[in-house]
Amino acid sequence: MKLYYKPGACSMATHIVLNELGETFELESVDTKKGVTASGAPYREINPRGYVPALTIPNGETLTENGAILQYIFDERYSDQIDITTFVRARLQEVLSFLSSELHKAFSPFFAKTKPTTEEHAIALEKLRIQLSHLEGIIADGRKFMLGATYTPADAYAFVILNWAGVIRLPLDDWPNVKAFYERILVRPATQKAMVREGLIKAEAA
Ligand SMILES: N[C@@H](CCC(=O)N[C@@H](CS)C(=O)NCC(=O)O)C(=O)O
């Protein structure tokens, strides 16, 4: 498999999950602004929408969109850890959809090309706080992972999004379950390995 990524971006969720599974895979970084991969390939020929992640799977097809990629890996590789019923798949999709269309997108204004005005920043922050409170609700019942007792790709995706809170200097103290969840996923060896490989932390810190 081959993952197209940008350091610290949502593509790191797939990177972490592949590490969790002990998969052998290739990584190629993408300059999404220039639209080229590290080896000089035109990235829109890989993902016509120009953003990461994209994952080339063993049959030669390339999948895009976090939700689809993470669902694919779950279906293909997690059946020995969890009974993948239609209901469990729907639960995963429920969480992945929330993460992708609500929580992930609530961070977008902070990374926009044009710096938001003070008023826009305040509105965006309020919207983000609401989504973090929704996440707090999902993991409030003492559950260890997003789906309950078992780690799934949704945990890696939630972690990567929460990591952006540090980038925008938003402490997670107002959401204690979210903060504890973030810290639980942060210390996992697969997470640390991906963060070192993507240059987010130094090897000796891992
Ligand atoms: N709908 C897409 C959104 C992916 C996305 O937002 N990717 C960001 C990084 S997290 C990106 O590549 N943005 C282009 C850029 O940063 O130049 C998905 O869920 O996969």
Side-chain angles (χ1 to χ4, degrees):
M1 282 195 274
K2 180 168 182 177
L3 174 64
Y4 294 91
Y5 79 105
K6 252 177 62 167
C10 48
S11 44
M12 195 166 75
T14 299
H15 188 173
I16 292 171
V17 171
L18 294 175
N19 283 349
E20 287 281 352
L21 292 164
E23 289 281 332
T24 303
F25 58 99
E26 283 177 69
L27 276 170
E28 185 162 356
S29 65
V30 180
D31 182 333
T32 52
K33 283 200 184 84
K34 292 188 179 147
V36 286
T37 71
S39 65
Y43 186 58
R44 279 183 191 270
E45 288 180 12
I46 295 159
N47 180 359
R49 290 177 299 287
Y51 46 66
V52 292
L55 181 72
T56 303
I57 59 175
N59 71 1
E61 297 270 1
T62 296
L63 288 170
T64 61
E65 300 296 327
N66 285 293
I69 291 171
L70 296 173
Q71 180 79 62
Y72 166 82
I73 296 173
F74 180 73
D75 285 6
E76 287 287 309
R77 299 282 196 275
Y78 274 75
S79 57
D80 55 343
Q81 299 177 48
I82 192 165
D83 185 15
I84 306 180
T85 60
T86 302
F87 176 73
V88 167
R89 293 188 84 249
R91 275 280 180 246
L92 179 68
Q93 202 45 237
E94 183 178 43
V95 171
L96 291 175
S97 298
F98 164 72
L99 292 172
S100 160
S101 58
E102 307 296 338
L103 190 62
H104 180 158
K105 290 299 152 192
F107 274 92
S108 299
F110 301 96
F111 300 122
K113 279 184 201 126
T114 324
K115 198 171 178 266
T117 62
T118 309
E119 194 192 353
E120 285 166 349
H121 187 277
I123 292 169
L125 189 58
E126 190 44 40
K127 286 186 179 165
L128 174 56
R129 292 182 65 86
I130 289 169
Q131 297 307 336
L132 286 167
S133 297
H134 288 322
L135 182 61
E136 178 76 5
I138 292 172
I139 51 183
D141 57 1
R143 67 169 75 180
K144 198 170 169 197
F145 300 115
M146 299 287 293
L147 256 63
T150 308
Y151 180 101
T152 70
D155 298 299
Y157 191 17
F159 168 82
V160 170
I161 300 170
L162 291 172
N163 199 49
W164 301 335
V167 177
I168 67 164
R169 298 183 197 287
L170 173 65
L172 293 174
D173 302 311
D174 285 346
W175 305 277
N177 289 301
V178 169
K179 189 176 177 189
F181 168 84
Y182 172 80
E183 285 164 358
R184 263 198 305 282
I185 308 299
L186 172 66
V187 296
R188 291 173 75 90
T191 307
Q192 293 283 301
K193 192 175 169 192
M195 291 178 86
V196 169
R197 177 67 177 75
E198 296 199 12
L200 273 62
I201 56 173
K202 289 203 188 333
E204 56 268 27

